[in-house]
Amino acid sequence: MTWLDGLVTGATEDYRRRVAETPLAEVRESADRLPPPRDVLAEWSGPDVAVICEVKRASPSKGRLADIPAPAHLAAEYARGGAAAISVLTEERRFLGSLDDLSAVRDAVHVPVLRKDFIVSEYQVWEARARGADLVLLIVAALDDARLAALHELVAQLGMTALVEVHDEEEAARAAALGALLIGVNARNLKTLEVDRGTFARVAPMLPGSALKVAESGVRDARDVIAYAQAGADAVLVGEAVVTGVDAATAVGDLVAAGKGGRGGRCGS
């Protein structure tokens, strides 16, 4: 069993426990009371590289990263620094996140919010909407084609945007066949957990020109934002580099500045 298999199994056990506590009908009622999700694709259509910052306490590769006693405060600092969206890890076991973190962040910021988890069921998608998410992560490696298509369709039906994550050329082809409009290329190897920053440049040309492309993992500083932009990234997703810093707003601001005009080929000029 790979570490991804273990995380998916754990996420499945956890959402089934929540189903027993809160039936789907109740979750749907909560979701229906919320205002519509934000149109992420329209908001990120400008010339700048969007910077997505994560509320992330821990990871399988690095262990504990930060305590984050107040996720709302951290998210507000990200937004103050110019983050285009906030990614919230809601996986409980290895990332030490929660749905309450997602709710707290949603209440604290006006930028789009991503539920980042190991989504395998419709219930989890409804949960994301009920907690105010505008985006939901769908990991191609964790889903067969039928399940991926069904979840992708539900995300769209609820007005949210799916960030469809791929790791290699084969998964890129699956995302393209799905018609995904927002595709993330994760530079972290699922088997070794090592990061190869060349993954995005290798895989991105396989993606449809109509899709916005997100470079995930490996952003250490402004130089990596510039490199990803030059390789065709429309957005970057940043976790460790901002969550472990002393001044989150300043760290995010530096990354945002590096991405100014990046989609127009002006980064680094």
Side-chain angles (χ1 to χ4, degrees):
M1 177 182 289
T2 67
W3 72 269
L4 177 61
D5 294 332
L7 287 167
V8 169
T9 298
T12 300
E13 293 173 356
D14 291 340
Y15 97 75
R16 287 175 176 167
R17 169 181 49 79
R18 293 194 301 274
V19 170
E21 297 169 352
T22 309
L24 177 58
E26 190 173 326
V27 175
R28 292 180 66 161
E29 288 177 5
S30 297
D32 290 341
R33 290 195 292 266
L34 294 181
R38 291 151 180 78
D39 187 346
V40 174
L41 299 178
E43 290 187 18
W44 297 352
S45 61
D48 300 336
V49 174
V51 177
I52 308 164
C53 297
E54 288 195 329
V55 175
K56 179 179 182 179
R57 292 188 176 88
S59 73
S61 61
K62 294 292 183 69
R64 185 177 288 274
L65 298 171
D67 289 336
I68 314 183
H73 174 73
L74 179 61
E77 287 297 287
Y78 287 161
R80 186 165 69 87
I86 311 298
S87 169
V88 183
L89 269 298
T90 59
E91 195 276 339
E92 303 173 18
R93 300 179 181 220
R94 299 296 296 275
F95 291 89
L96 307 181
S98 72
L99 284 164
D100 288 341
D101 287 347
L102 182 61
S103 294
V105 169
R106 172 71 289 157
D107 290 342
V109 300
H110 297 291
V111 297
V113 174
L114 163 69
R115 180 184 184 183
K116 196 175 185 198
D117 207 325
F118 299 88
I119 305 295
V120 294
S121 72
E122 286 81 358
Y123 185 87
Q124 292 167 290
V125 174
W126 279 102
E127 278 184 322
R129 181 79 284 269
R131 297 293 186 132
D134 306 286
L135 303 104
V136 175
L137 181 72
L138 298 179
I139 303 173
V140 170
L143 302 163
D144 61 32
D145 286 341
R147 171 73 3 196
L148 177 62
L151 294 175
H152 187 264
E153 181 178 0
L154 178 59
V155 171
Q157 287 175 352
L158 297 184
M160 296 184 290
T161 302
L163 172 56
V164 179
E165 179 178 291
V166 305
H167 299 81
D168 55 32
E169 292 86 346
E170 180 181 354
E171 293 176 10
R174 292 178 61 197
L178 182 69
L181 297 177
L182 183 67
I183 303 176
V185 179
N186 195 333
R188 190 174 299 281
N189 186 297
L190 289 179
K191 296 179 180 179
T192 66
L193 297 183
E194 295 179 353
V195 171
D196 176 3
R197 291 177 183 83
T199 301
F200 182 86
R202 185 176 70 251
V203 175
M206 304 288 295
L207 303 177
S210 57
L212 294 183
K213 303 167 184 63
V214 183
E216 302 178 31
S217 298
V219 176
R220 299 160 296 186
D221 53 35
R223 291 170 296 179
D224 290 320
V225 174
I226 293 170
Y228 276 140
Q230 291 173 340
D234 301 296
V236 294
L237 193 151
V238 191
E240 182 180 350
V242 289
V243 79
T244 58
V246 176
D247 186 341
T250 298
V252 174
D254 290 343
L255 301 178
V256 170
K260 289 291 183 183
R263 295 182 64 196
R266 295 189 293 275
C267 259
S269 61

